[in-house]
């Protein structure tokens, strides 16, 4: 028996890599958000339903558009790493290290 992926086209079962696409045609990604959503300009209060206009405004304002993709979770430090860092800090203080505390801004 032959293994692989098969699809049903025109009443026959054919290998997927030889099958024509089920739907032919043009796929259009609209620039319009529709009547339900609207982007608002941050500084001047302008609003638009156009994605491209919003991206242009964002770029002109020097902002970065962030998507809704999830960021990869950051690896938490293992207890051994934390223990080593604390031991090192204690050793530095015992040797006379004194941190300088200053303003961060």
């Amino acid at each position: 028996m032959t293994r692989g992926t098969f699809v049903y086209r025109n009443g026959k079962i054919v290998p997927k890599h030889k099958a024509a696409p089920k739907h032919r045609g043009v796929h259009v990604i609209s620039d319009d958000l529709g009547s339900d959503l609207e982007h608002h300009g941050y500084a001047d209060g302008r609003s638009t339903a156009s994605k491209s206009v919003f991206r242009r405004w964002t770029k002109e304002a020097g902002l970065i558009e962030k998507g809704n993709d999830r960021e990869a979770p950051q690896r938490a430090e293992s207890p051994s790493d934390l223990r080593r860092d604390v031991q090192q800090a204690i050793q530095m203080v015992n040797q006379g290290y004194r941190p300088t505390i200053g303003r961060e801004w």
Side-chain angles (χ1 to χ4, degrees):
M1 181 171 181
T2 305
R3 299 188 90 180
T5 303
F6 296 87
V7 293
Y8 191 73
R9 295 287 191 273
N10 298 325
K12 296 180 182 177
I13 296 176
V14 295
K16 186 175 181 178
H17 70 278
K18 291 184 177 180
K22 196 171 184 179
H23 301 286
R24 294 181 188 225
V26 178
H27 296 277
V28 177
I29 298 174
S30 173
D31 183 58
D32 185 36
L33 292 172
S35 60
D36 297 340
L37 295 174
E38 219 175 55
H39 287 303
H40 295 276
Y42 293 103
D44 54 14
R46 296 179 291 182
S47 63
T48 181
S50 169
K51 294 180 225 175
S52 62
V53 170
F54 175 75
R55 288 191 176 107
R56 184 169 32 95
W57 289 350
T58 303
K59 190 174 183 179
E60 287 171 359
L63 302 172
I64 297 172
E65 184 177 348
K66 183 175 169 123
N68 60 354
D69 298 335
R70 293 184 179 202
E71 295 181 12
Q74 296 196 2
R75 184 181 73 87
E77 286 191 42
S78 68
S80 63
D81 290 342
L82 186 58
R83 182 176 290 118
R84 185 186 63 237
D85 291 346
V86 170
Q87 288 173 344
Q88 182 182 6
I90 291 171
Q91 183 181 13
M92 289 172 64
V93 169
N94 289 340
Q95 292 174 354
Y97 173 76
R98 297 293 178 256
T100 56
I101 301 174
R103 292 186 175 196
E104 294 183 12
W105 64 87

XYZ file of all heavy atoms in Angstrom:
839
model
N 0.840 -1.176 0.000
C 0.000 0.000 0.000
C 0.887 1.242 0.000
O 1.840 1.344 0.746
C -0.893 -0.026 1.234
C -1.822 1.125 1.322
S -2.973 0.835 2.676
C -3.924 2.285 2.531
N 0.564 2.189 -0.838
C 1.333 3.418 -0.951
C 0.913 4.392 0.139
O -0.273 4.585 0.389
C 1.104 4.079 -2.326
O 1.412 3.123 -3.334
C 1.959 5.295 -2.489
N 1.930 4.994 0.775
C 1.644 5.993 1.803
C 1.779 7.377 1.192
O 2.558 7.594 0.286
C 2.623 5.853 2.961
C 2.520 4.486 3.619
C 3.324 4.439 4.827
N 2.449 4.878 5.905
C 2.805 4.977 7.156
N 4.024 4.697 7.514
N 1.957 5.365 8.070
N 1.051 8.303 1.724
C 1.114 9.670 1.246
C -0.181 10.371 1.555
O -1.085 9.832 2.191
N -0.294 11.578 1.046
C -1.499 12.362 1.258
C -2.272 12.405 -0.049
O -1.709 12.725 -1.106
C -1.142 13.792 1.707
O -0.345 13.710 2.883
C -2.385 14.606 2.002
N -3.539 12.062 0.038
C -4.385 12.042 -1.136
C -5.566 12.976 -0.928
O -5.993 13.211 0.196
C -4.884 10.617 -1.403
C -3.784 9.660 -1.738
C -3.090 8.998 -0.747
C -3.433 9.437 -3.057
C -2.068 8.127 -1.048
C -2.415 8.555 -3.372
C -1.721 7.901 -2.374
N -6.087 13.502 -2.037
C -7.250 14.388 -1.987
C -8.268 13.932 -3.024
O -7.945 13.187 -3.952
C -6.844 15.868 -2.237
C -5.988 16.392 -1.104
C -6.135 16.024 -3.562
N -9.473 14.385 -2.854
C -10.573 14.024 -3.739
C -10.803 15.163 -4.712
O -11.129 16.286 -4.325
C -11.818 13.788 -2.877
C -12.969 13.157 -3.589
C -12.937 11.816 -3.939
C -14.101 13.899 -3.889
C -14.005 11.227 -4.588
C -15.179 13.320 -4.531
C -15.127 11.975 -4.885
O -16.189 11.396 -5.522
N -10.597 14.908 -6.008
C -10.809 15.923 -7.047
C -11.578 15.322 -8.223
O -11.166 14.282 -8.761
C -9.471 16.474 -7.580
C -8.640 17.232 -6.574
C -9.241 18.607 -6.269
N -8.332 19.427 -5.522
C -8.224 19.446 -4.201
N -8.991 18.673 -3.481
N -7.362 20.226 -3.599
N -12.653 15.967 -8.610
C -13.465 15.557 -9.765
C -13.871 14.084 -9.693
O -13.789 13.345 -10.672
C -12.719 15.834 -11.081
C -12.431 17.300 -11.262
O -13.213 18.159 -10.869
N -11.280 17.601 -11.836
N -14.250 13.648 -8.522
C -14.728 12.284 -8.365
C -13.644 11.235 -8.259
O -13.936 10.040 -8.256
N -12.379 11.632 -8.196
C -11.277 10.675 -8.107
C -10.375 11.023 -6.927
O -10.250 12.179 -6.551
C -10.439 10.694 -9.382
C -11.185 10.258 -10.616
C -10.282 10.308 -11.829
C -11.062 9.909 -13.072
N -10.253 10.009 -14.266
N -9.717 9.987 -6.391
C -8.726 10.205 -5.343
C -7.365 10.295 -6.034
O -6.961 9.381 -6.762
C -8.749 9.051 -4.324
C -10.107 9.040 -3.610
C -7.614 9.208 -3.327
C -10.278 7.902 -2.648
N -6.660 11.421 -5.815
C -5.364 11.649 -6.469
C -4.338 12.098 -5.437
O -4.700 12.636 -4.382
C -5.481 12.727 -7.575
C -6.380 12.252 -8.702
C -5.990 14.035 -7.020
N -3.032 11.849 -5.709
C -1.994 12.347 -4.795
C -2.082 13.866 -4.681
O -2.297 14.563 -5.682
C -0.691 11.920 -5.455
C -1.061 10.812 -6.388
C -2.463 11.103 -6.825
N -1.932 14.361 -3.476
C -2.106 15.794 -3.230
C -1.137 16.632 -4.058
O -1.502 17.692 -4.574
C -1.928 16.105 -1.747
C -2.244 17.531 -1.394
C -2.166 17.751 0.087
C -2.514 19.188 0.427
N -2.476 19.402 1.875
N 0.104 16.187 -4.206
C 1.094 16.991 -4.941
C 0.772 17.097 -6.433
O 1.273 17.980 -7.122
C 2.509 16.431 -4.725
C 2.772 15.115 -5.383
N 2.374 13.928 -4.805
C 3.372 14.804 -6.545
C 2.733 12.926 -5.587
N 3.345 13.434 -6.659
N -0.107 16.224 -6.952
C -0.495 16.293 -8.360
C -1.855 16.954 -8.565
O -2.249 17.219 -9.688
C -0.536 14.886 -8.960
C 0.819 14.235 -9.089
C 0.702 12.903 -9.781
C 2.066 12.268 -9.974
N 1.984 10.973 -10.655
N -2.572 17.203 -7.478
C -3.931 17.736 -7.573
C -3.915 19.245 -7.809
O -3.084 19.974 -7.265
C -4.695 17.435 -6.291
N -4.858 19.685 -8.621
C -5.030 21.119 -8.839
C -5.654 21.728 -7.581
O -6.347 21.046 -6.832
C -5.945 21.352 -10.039
N -5.409 23.018 -7.332
C -6.036 23.662 -6.174
C -7.551 23.542 -6.244
O -8.141 23.559 -7.317
C -5.600 25.126 -6.296
C -4.417 25.115 -7.184
C -4.564 23.939 -8.094
N -8.170 23.393 -5.084
C -9.619 23.230 -5.034
C -10.337 24.510 -5.460
O -11.355 24.467 -6.142
C -10.031 22.833 -3.617
C -11.410 22.270 -3.518
C -11.650 21.692 -2.136
C -13.002 21.036 -2.050
N -13.234 20.468 -0.733
N -9.800 25.628 -5.053
C -10.409 26.915 -5.395
C -9.382 27.750 -6.157
O -8.287 27.982 -5.677
C -10.845 27.673 -4.140
C -11.831 26.926 -3.313
N -13.136 26.775 -3.684
C -11.705 26.253 -2.146
C -13.779 26.061 -2.780
N -12.919 25.723 -1.830
N -9.746 28.162 -7.313
C -8.869 29.057 -8.077
C -9.443 30.461 -7.992
O -10.638 30.648 -7.924
C -8.803 28.625 -9.536
C -8.138 27.294 -9.703
C -8.084 26.914 -11.154
N -7.601 25.545 -11.244
C -6.689 25.156 -12.086
N -6.180 25.995 -12.939
N -6.306 23.907 -12.092
N -8.566 31.439 -7.993
C -9.047 32.800 -7.955
C -8.061 33.708 -7.252
O -6.986 33.295 -6.848
N -8.466 34.930 -7.116
C -7.624 35.946 -6.520
C -8.035 36.135 -5.065
O -9.215 36.189 -4.736
C -7.781 37.284 -7.282
C -6.961 38.368 -6.643
C -7.400 37.102 -8.735
N -7.042 36.205 -4.191
C -7.304 36.490 -2.789
C -6.896 37.929 -2.525
O -5.766 38.316 -2.793
C -6.507 35.549 -1.882
C -6.907 34.123 -2.046
N -7.997 33.586 -1.392
C -6.391 33.123 -2.786
C -8.121 32.319 -1.729
N -7.154 32.008 -2.580
N -7.811 38.713 -2.019
C -7.568 40.129 -1.777
C -7.566 40.381 -0.274
O -8.482 39.971 0.433
C -8.653 41.002 -2.440
C -8.431 42.473 -2.129
C -8.661 40.767 -3.941
N -6.516 41.055 0.198
C -6.458 41.478 1.587
C -6.840 42.949 1.602
O -6.141 43.793 1.058
C -5.055 41.269 2.186
C -4.709 39.784 2.159
C -4.999 41.812 3.606
C -3.297 39.482 2.580
N -7.938 43.243 2.239
C -8.480 44.597 2.233
C -7.671 45.537 3.126
O -7.143 45.141 4.155
C -9.924 44.557 2.720
O -10.422 45.864 2.868
N -7.591 46.792 2.705
C -6.959 47.821 3.522
C -7.951 48.402 4.518
O -7.572 49.040 5.478
C -6.422 48.935 2.612
C -5.685 50.004 3.381
O -4.704 49.662 4.072
O -6.097 51.174 3.310
N -9.212 48.147 4.300
C -10.269 48.715 5.130
C -10.526 47.839 6.351
O -10.556 46.617 6.266
C -11.546 48.822 4.301
C -12.661 49.512 5.040
O -12.367 50.453 5.813
O -13.827 49.123 4.852
N -10.713 48.455 7.489
C -11.009 47.722 8.711
C -12.493 47.437 8.865
O -12.895 46.704 9.753
C -10.538 48.526 9.931
C -9.042 48.672 10.062
C -8.712 49.632 11.185
C -8.404 47.335 10.320
N -13.295 48.019 8.040
C -14.732 47.836 8.144
C -15.347 48.883 9.060
O -14.676 49.762 9.597
N -16.628 48.765 9.276
C -17.322 49.789 10.065
C -17.160 49.579 11.568
O -17.433 50.476 12.348
C -18.805 49.774 9.714
O -19.347 48.496 10.008
N -16.704 48.402 11.983
C -16.615 48.115 13.418
C -15.360 48.663 14.082
O -15.366 48.971 15.267
C -16.669 46.608 13.658
C -17.994 46.014 13.215
O -18.960 46.787 13.085
O -18.052 44.796 12.999
N -14.257 48.768 13.334
C -12.980 49.178 13.924
C -12.491 50.479 13.328
O -12.740 50.778 12.178
C -11.924 48.092 13.701
C -12.172 46.760 14.386
C -11.130 45.761 13.942
C -12.133 46.923 15.884
N -11.756 51.215 14.125
C -11.172 52.475 13.667
C -9.885 52.717 14.433
O -9.824 52.503 15.633
C -12.148 53.618 13.950
C -12.188 54.634 12.861
C -13.266 55.679 13.124
O -13.235 56.292 14.198
O -14.115 55.850 12.248
N -8.818 53.119 13.719
C -7.565 53.491 14.377
C -7.607 54.975 14.689
O -8.103 55.766 13.907
C -6.365 53.221 13.449
C -6.041 51.777 13.300
N -5.749 50.963 14.358
C -5.946 51.006 12.204
C -5.482 49.756 13.916
N -5.600 49.747 12.618
N -7.065 55.359 15.822
C -7.023 56.759 16.213
C -5.587 57.241 16.232
O -4.705 56.547 16.723
C -7.647 56.958 17.602
C -9.102 56.635 17.617
N -10.053 57.538 17.243
C -9.759 55.498 17.925
C -11.242 56.980 17.339
N -11.092 55.738 17.742
N -5.351 58.464 15.708
C -4.026 59.058 15.765
C -3.681 59.376 17.214
O -4.516 59.844 17.975
N -2.454 59.104 17.606
C -2.070 59.264 19.010
C -1.999 60.730 19.432
O -2.501 61.102 20.460
C -0.719 58.602 19.256
C -0.784 57.113 19.114
C -0.308 56.485 17.972
C -1.344 56.334 20.106
C -0.377 55.113 17.846
C -1.425 54.961 19.985
C -0.931 54.364 18.853
O -1.008 53.018 18.727
N -1.376 61.560 18.627
C -1.105 62.930 19.048
C -2.236 63.895 18.705
O -2.572 64.763 19.499
C 0.194 63.412 18.413
N -2.798 63.745 17.525
C -3.737 64.767 17.067
C -5.198 64.327 17.054
O -6.066 65.098 16.674
C -3.329 65.242 15.675
C -3.197 64.098 14.699
O -3.659 62.991 15.020
O -2.630 64.319 13.611
N -5.488 63.103 17.439
C -6.869 62.665 17.529
C -7.522 62.281 16.212
O -8.706 61.990 16.172
N -6.767 62.284 15.112
C -7.347 61.865 13.828
C -7.753 60.401 13.919
O -7.207 59.641 14.693
C -6.325 62.013 12.693
C -5.888 63.423 12.429
C -4.878 63.461 11.315
N -3.618 62.834 11.778
C -2.525 62.741 11.040
N -2.516 63.206 9.807
N -1.451 62.185 11.517
N -8.717 59.993 13.105
C -9.089 58.582 13.069
C -9.212 58.144 11.620
O -9.496 58.944 10.730
C -10.394 58.341 13.821
O -11.443 59.036 13.196
N -8.994 56.850 11.398
C -9.076 56.303 10.054
C -9.497 54.849 10.142
O -9.272 54.186 11.158
C -7.732 56.406 9.313
O -7.891 55.874 7.998
C -6.625 55.652 10.018
N -10.100 54.356 9.093
C -10.454 52.948 8.997
C -9.479 52.227 8.063
O -9.688 51.081 7.710
C -11.873 52.784 8.496
N -8.398 52.906 7.671
C -7.425 52.351 6.740
C -6.187 51.870 7.492
O -5.574 52.617 8.252
C -7.022 53.407 5.714
O -5.918 52.977 4.972
N -5.799 50.623 7.250
C -4.601 50.081 7.896
C -3.342 50.806 7.411
O -2.460 51.109 8.204
C -4.468 48.592 7.587
C -5.549 47.734 8.168
C -5.287 46.281 7.786
C -6.557 45.634 7.324
N -6.348 44.279 6.824
N -3.262 51.070 6.115
C -2.053 51.692 5.568
C -1.885 53.124 6.065
O -0.770 53.562 6.346
C -2.063 51.663 4.041
O -3.159 52.395 3.537
N -2.973 53.867 6.220
C -2.883 55.229 6.744
C -2.417 55.188 8.198
O -1.548 55.955 8.619
C -4.244 55.961 6.623
C -4.226 57.276 7.375
C -4.584 56.180 5.163
N -2.970 54.251 8.974
C -2.546 54.121 10.365
C -1.063 53.790 10.449
O -0.336 54.354 11.258
C -3.361 53.041 11.075
C -2.900 52.782 12.478
C -3.187 53.680 13.483
C -2.151 51.666 12.777
C -2.753 53.461 14.785
C -1.718 51.427 14.070
C -2.015 52.334 15.069
N -0.571 52.876 9.613
C 0.856 52.518 9.624
C 1.718 53.711 9.248
O 2.791 53.917 9.803
C 1.100 51.346 8.679
C 0.534 50.065 9.236
C 0.987 48.851 8.439
N 0.479 47.659 9.095
C -0.522 46.921 8.628
N -1.100 47.243 7.490
N -0.922 45.857 9.284
N 1.252 54.526 8.291
C 2.012 55.728 7.908
C 2.072 56.706 9.070
O 3.126 57.253 9.379
C 1.375 56.386 6.679
C 2.153 57.583 6.170
C 1.683 58.079 4.808
N 0.274 57.897 4.534
C -0.658 58.820 4.731
N -0.350 59.994 5.222
N -1.920 58.577 4.437
N 0.944 56.942 9.741
C 0.926 57.843 10.905
C 1.860 57.333 11.995
O 2.580 58.107 12.628
C -0.474 57.943 11.484
C -1.462 58.695 10.652
C -1.215 59.454 9.550
C -2.872 58.757 10.862
N -2.380 59.968 9.060
C -3.413 59.569 9.851
C -3.722 58.195 11.800
C -4.768 59.835 9.757
C -5.077 58.468 11.706
C -5.591 59.284 10.696
N 1.825 56.024 12.236
C 2.682 55.436 13.261
C 4.152 55.670 12.928
O 4.939 56.067 13.784
C 2.392 53.925 13.375
O 1.009 53.751 13.658
C 3.208 53.287 14.469
N 4.512 55.441 11.671
C 5.901 55.625 11.242
C 6.310 57.095 11.327
O 7.409 57.426 11.780
C 6.063 55.110 9.817
C 7.491 55.033 9.361
C 7.584 54.368 8.001
C 9.025 54.239 7.579
N 9.151 53.582 6.277
N 5.430 58.001 10.903
C 5.737 59.429 10.957
C 5.947 59.907 12.395
O 6.738 60.812 12.642
C 4.597 60.236 10.312
C 4.543 60.128 8.813
C 3.289 60.765 8.225
O 2.433 61.275 8.991
O 3.145 60.734 6.982
N 5.231 59.297 13.335
C 5.358 59.698 14.742
C 6.566 59.046 15.415
O 6.833 59.296 16.577
C 4.084 59.321 15.498
N 7.296 58.190 14.664
C 8.467 57.531 15.225
C 8.117 56.383 16.164
O 8.924 55.994 17.008
N 6.910 55.844 16.014
C 6.466 54.756 16.875
C 6.668 53.415 16.170
O 6.866 53.353 14.970
C 4.988 54.930 17.223
C 4.638 56.235 17.923
C 3.130 56.389 18.047
C 5.289 56.292 19.285
N 6.604 52.358 16.922
C 6.742 51.014 16.383
C 5.412 50.306 16.545
O 4.843 50.267 17.631
C 7.852 50.240 17.116
C 9.189 50.922 16.902
C 7.894 48.796 16.648
C 10.306 50.339 17.741
N 4.920 49.741 15.459
C 3.676 48.999 15.507
C 3.989 47.582 15.971
O 4.800 46.887 15.373
C 3.038 48.965 14.125
C 1.701 48.304 14.094
C 1.062 48.338 12.724
O 1.548 49.067 11.844
O 0.079 47.612 12.540
N 3.360 47.167 17.031
C 3.600 45.838 17.582
C 2.405 44.956 17.270
O 1.268 45.333 17.499
C 3.816 45.921 19.090
C 4.149 44.601 19.701
C 4.472 44.759 21.145
C 4.539 43.376 21.750
N 5.734 43.058 22.374
N 2.673 43.780 16.774
C 1.609 42.856 16.412
C 1.037 42.144 17.616
O 1.395 42.420 18.761
N 0.174 41.208 17.345
C -0.439 40.461 18.422
C 0.175 39.073 18.569
O -0.394 38.197 19.198
C -1.951 40.361 18.233
C -2.314 39.665 16.941
O -1.450 39.342 16.126
N -3.588 39.445 16.732
N 1.338 38.862 17.961
C 2.028 37.590 18.115
C 2.542 37.474 19.539
O 3.022 38.439 20.120
C 3.214 37.486 17.154
C 2.774 37.532 15.703
O 1.624 37.170 15.440
O 3.586 37.937 14.857
N 2.466 36.288 20.056
C 2.962 36.077 21.413
C 4.476 35.972 21.390
O 5.044 35.309 20.533
C 2.370 34.821 22.011
C 0.894 34.946 22.243
C 0.362 33.740 22.922
N -1.070 33.951 23.136
C -1.749 33.325 24.033
N -1.174 32.432 24.794
N -3.038 33.556 24.166
N 5.095 36.610 22.362
C 6.538 36.517 22.472
C 6.902 35.208 23.145
O 6.146 34.686 23.966
C 7.078 37.689 23.286
C 6.870 39.027 22.598
C 7.428 40.184 23.403
O 8.173 39.932 24.367
O 7.111 41.317 23.061
N 8.068 34.700 22.793
C 8.523 33.450 23.408
C 8.737 33.684 24.898
O 9.287 34.711 25.301
C 9.817 32.997 22.751
N 8.295 32.758 25.716
C 8.491 32.948 27.166
C 9.978 32.950 27.504
O 10.759 32.201 26.911
C 7.788 31.743 27.783
C 7.675 30.737 26.692
C 7.648 31.505 25.406
N 10.342 33.814 28.423
C 11.737 33.896 28.822
C 12.024 32.822 29.849
O 11.202 32.535 30.715
C 12.042 35.281 29.373
C 11.874 36.349 28.313
C 12.524 37.640 28.726
O 13.125 37.727 29.775
N 12.412 38.638 27.896
N 13.201 32.261 29.741
C 13.593 31.191 30.646
C 13.874 31.772 32.023
O 14.639 32.720 32.175
C 14.851 30.511 30.115
C 15.285 29.313 30.927
C 16.539 28.709 30.349
N 17.713 29.519 30.590
C 18.464 29.444 31.689
N 18.150 28.621 32.640
N 19.530 30.202 31.826
N 13.237 31.217 33.001
C 13.463 31.667 34.371
C 14.825 31.158 34.846
O 15.283 30.100 34.421
C 12.370 31.143 35.284
N 15.466 31.931 35.694
C 16.749 31.501 36.232
C 16.545 30.276 37.103
O 15.583 30.184 37.855
C 17.381 32.613 37.068
C 17.944 33.740 36.244
C 18.790 34.670 37.091
O 19.564 34.183 37.919
O 18.650 35.877 36.906
N 17.465 29.359 37.001
C 17.373 28.173 37.846
C 17.828 28.550 39.257
O 18.583 29.505 39.448
C 18.247 27.053 37.285
O 19.610 27.400 37.409
N 17.380 27.816 40.257
C 17.793 28.113 41.632
C 19.314 28.092 41.805
O 19.862 28.865 42.582
C 17.124 27.009 42.450
C 15.964 26.583 41.634
C 16.385 26.762 40.204
N 20.011 27.233 41.048
C 21.472 27.179 41.182
C 22.114 28.459 40.657
O 23.095 28.948 41.228
C 22.041 25.956 40.467
O 21.771 26.035 39.081
N 21.561 29.036 39.561
C 22.087 30.309 39.046
C 21.867 31.417 40.068
O 22.751 32.232 40.316
C 21.389 30.695 37.732
C 21.763 29.796 36.574
O 22.788 29.092 36.666
O 21.025 29.802 35.568
N 20.688 31.456 40.645
C 20.356 32.470 41.635
C 21.245 32.317 42.880
O 21.787 33.299 43.393
C 18.882 32.356 42.023
C 18.335 33.424 42.943
C 18.514 34.808 42.338
C 16.864 33.169 43.242
N 21.428 31.093 43.321
C 22.268 30.827 44.488
C 23.711 31.290 44.217
O 24.333 31.939 45.053
C 22.246 29.333 44.826
C 23.062 28.973 46.060
C 22.933 27.498 46.424
N 21.592 27.230 46.928
C 20.710 26.404 46.365
N 21.021 25.747 45.283
N 19.523 26.236 46.891
N 24.226 30.997 43.040
C 25.584 31.404 42.676
C 25.713 32.930 42.661
O 26.689 33.486 43.160
C 25.960 30.817 41.310
C 27.404 31.090 40.906
C 27.726 30.631 39.497
N 26.909 31.372 38.542
C 26.094 30.814 37.654
N 25.959 29.510 37.611
N 25.397 31.558 36.832
N 24.705 33.633 42.091
C 24.748 35.094 42.037
C 24.731 35.714 43.435
O 25.437 36.681 43.706
C 23.570 35.629 41.220
C 23.696 35.310 39.738
O 24.805 34.923 39.290
O 22.678 35.455 39.019
N 23.911 35.164 44.329
C 23.840 35.686 45.697
C 25.163 35.452 46.425
O 25.686 36.341 47.109
C 22.656 35.060 46.465
C 22.717 35.410 47.941
C 21.329 35.515 45.860
N 25.738 34.267 46.268
C 27.029 33.976 46.901
C 28.121 34.920 46.400
O 28.945 35.414 47.173
C 27.435 32.521 46.647
C 26.608 31.519 47.422
C 26.912 30.083 47.025
O 27.507 29.816 45.987
N 26.472 29.146 47.861
N 28.103 35.206 45.098
C 29.088 36.120 44.520
C 28.898 37.536 45.074
O 29.869 38.226 45.405
C 28.979 36.134 42.998
C 30.008 37.020 42.322
C 29.831 37.052 40.808
O 28.872 36.505 40.266
N 30.760 37.690 40.127
N 27.650 37.982 45.204
C 27.383 39.316 45.739
C 27.839 39.430 47.188
O 28.446 40.443 47.584
C 25.891 39.635 45.622
N 27.566 38.403 47.983
C 28.010 38.417 49.387
C 29.525 38.470 49.472
O 30.102 39.229 50.262
C 27.448 37.183 50.138
C 25.930 37.316 50.296
C 28.113 37.000 51.499
C 25.236 36.067 50.814
N 30.185 37.695 48.634
C 31.646 37.685 48.624
C 32.203 39.057 48.247
O 33.158 39.550 48.866
C 32.155 36.620 47.654
C 33.662 36.482 47.631
C 34.117 35.420 46.637
O 33.338 34.960 45.816
N 35.382 35.049 46.731
N 31.610 39.728 47.263
C 32.077 41.057 46.842
C 31.921 42.069 47.981
O 32.810 42.882 48.220
C 31.306 41.516 45.597
C 31.666 40.756 44.335
S 30.597 41.152 42.923
C 30.978 42.862 42.656
N 30.791 42.027 48.689
C 30.559 42.950 49.793
C 31.556 42.678 50.916
O 32.115 43.599 51.523
C 29.096 42.850 50.296
C 28.910 43.601 51.601
C 28.137 43.388 49.238
N 31.806 41.401 51.209
C 32.780 41.044 52.257
C 34.191 41.493 51.912
O 35.002 41.738 52.797
C 32.762 39.536 52.522
C 31.499 39.098 53.239
O 30.818 39.904 53.864
N 31.184 37.819 53.131
N 34.485 41.636 50.620
C 35.806 42.089 50.175
C 35.884 43.613 50.099
O 36.884 44.152 49.662
C 36.157 41.472 48.820
C 36.394 39.976 48.877
C 36.594 39.365 47.504
O 36.451 40.037 46.477
N 36.914 38.082 47.473
N 34.803 44.306 50.466
C 34.849 45.753 50.521
C 34.106 46.479 49.406
O 34.106 47.706 49.348
N 33.478 45.783 48.514
C 32.739 46.434 47.431
C 31.545 47.176 48.002
O 30.789 46.655 48.814
C 32.260 45.402 46.408
C 31.349 45.982 45.351
C 31.862 46.740 44.310
C 29.975 45.778 45.405
C 31.028 47.271 43.339
C 29.130 46.303 44.443
C 29.663 47.058 43.415
O 28.829 47.590 42.463
N 31.402 48.420 47.597
C 30.248 49.221 47.970
C 29.652 49.827 46.689
O 30.331 50.599 46.006
C 30.637 50.362 48.927
C 31.187 49.894 50.264
C 30.070 49.201 51.071
N 30.579 48.695 52.348
C 30.838 47.411 52.601
N 30.676 46.506 51.676
N 31.276 47.044 53.767
N 28.428 49.497 46.382
C 27.824 50.024 45.150
C 27.571 51.520 45.284
O 27.305 52.020 46.374
C 26.525 49.259 45.025
C 26.197 48.828 46.414
C 27.509 48.630 47.101
N 27.683 52.221 44.153
C 27.332 53.642 44.140
C 25.876 53.758 43.746
O 25.420 53.152 42.780
C 28.203 54.427 43.151
O 28.073 53.833 41.855
C 29.663 54.382 43.555
N 25.136 54.511 44.511
C 23.722 54.679 44.236
C 23.527 56.078 43.687
O 23.878 57.067 44.307
C 22.873 54.490 45.513
C 23.122 53.082 46.064
C 21.406 54.720 45.219
C 22.461 52.825 47.384
N 22.989 56.143 42.498
C 22.774 57.433 41.856
C 21.419 57.469 41.190
O 20.679 56.481 41.168
N 21.090 58.603 40.638
C 19.832 58.723 39.944
C 19.900 57.981 38.611
O 20.906 58.014 37.927
C 19.497 60.191 39.666
C 19.214 60.937 40.929
C 18.748 62.314 40.591
N 18.376 62.976 41.807
C 17.665 64.062 41.842
N 17.257 64.630 40.736
N 17.343 64.625 42.988
N 18.796 57.344 38.259
C 18.736 56.578 37.018
C 18.198 57.409 35.865
O 18.167 56.976 34.753
C 17.896 55.339 37.221
C 18.515 54.353 38.180
C 17.694 53.098 38.306
O 16.762 52.886 37.497
O 17.957 52.305 39.208
N 17.716 58.623 36.109
C 17.157 59.414 35.015
C 17.965 60.617 34.714
O 18.829 61.091 35.252
C 15.700 59.798 35.289
C 15.501 60.676 36.469
C 15.562 62.024 36.509
C 15.229 60.281 37.826
N 15.342 62.496 37.755
C 15.139 61.450 38.600
C 15.069 59.093 38.449
C 14.882 61.415 39.953
C 14.811 59.069 39.779
C 14.716 60.228 40.522
